[in-house]
Amino acid sequence: MEPVAIVTALALFQFFAFSYWVGAARVKHGVHAPAITGHPEFERSFRVQQNTLEQLVAFLPALWIFGWYVHALIAAALGLLFIVGRFVYRTSYLKDPTTRSLGFGIGALAIFALLIGGLIGALLSWF
């Protein structure tokens, strides 16, 4: 399960980096807390961070269930795909939010594969 733990840490470091960049955008554009609206660059950075947080709620349990019941290395590979998808999402969203679909799709595909595979693996283990 070490590969799953490593990917979990990488995903959380990614979220930490996204959070840092939101803070940097706050300072750069003078958006004082608790405001969550202001300069468009800040708002896009904030939305990337929030969307990533929303995705982590599904991603992390699905990653661990798949790793436990199916295969840790495959789970880790799918987890890395999720992380790549989040970077693609961030890059495209910051440039033009209408182009975020590819990054979102990569991450969603990884979560879906982890979730379905983990559920099947758990069911097969149970019965």
Side-chain angles (χ1 to χ4, degrees), residues 3-65:
V4 175
I6 291 166
V7 169
T8 298
L10 291 174
L12 294 174
F13 276 121
Q14 180 184 54
F15 180 72
F16 181 78
F18 288 2
S19 299
Y20 172 81
W21 290 326
V22 169
R26 268 190 191 283
V27 171
K28 179 179 177 183
H29 299 293
V31 180
H32 303 288
I36 57 170
T37 59
H39 192 279
E41 185 179 311
F42 163 76
E43 290 180 10
R44 288 191 300 269
S45 185
F46 179 74
R47 278 304 309 145
V48 167
Q49 178 211 27
Q50 290 302 297
N51 186 265
T52 300
L53 178 61
E54 295 161 5
Q55 297 295 310
L56 285 173
V57 170
F59 168 69
L60 291 173
L63 176 70
W64 280 87
I65 293 167

Side-chain angles (χ1 to χ4, degrees), residues 1-11 59 62-68 70-84 110 114:
M1 292 296 288
E2 290 82 1
V4 175
I6 291 166
V7 169
T8 298
L10 291 174
F59 168 69
L63 176 70
W64 280 87
I65 293 167
F66 189 103
W68 184 265
V70 180
H71 197 280
L73 284 176
I74 297 171
L78 289 167
L80 290 174
L81 182 64
F82 171 81
I83 291 169
V84 168
L114 289 165

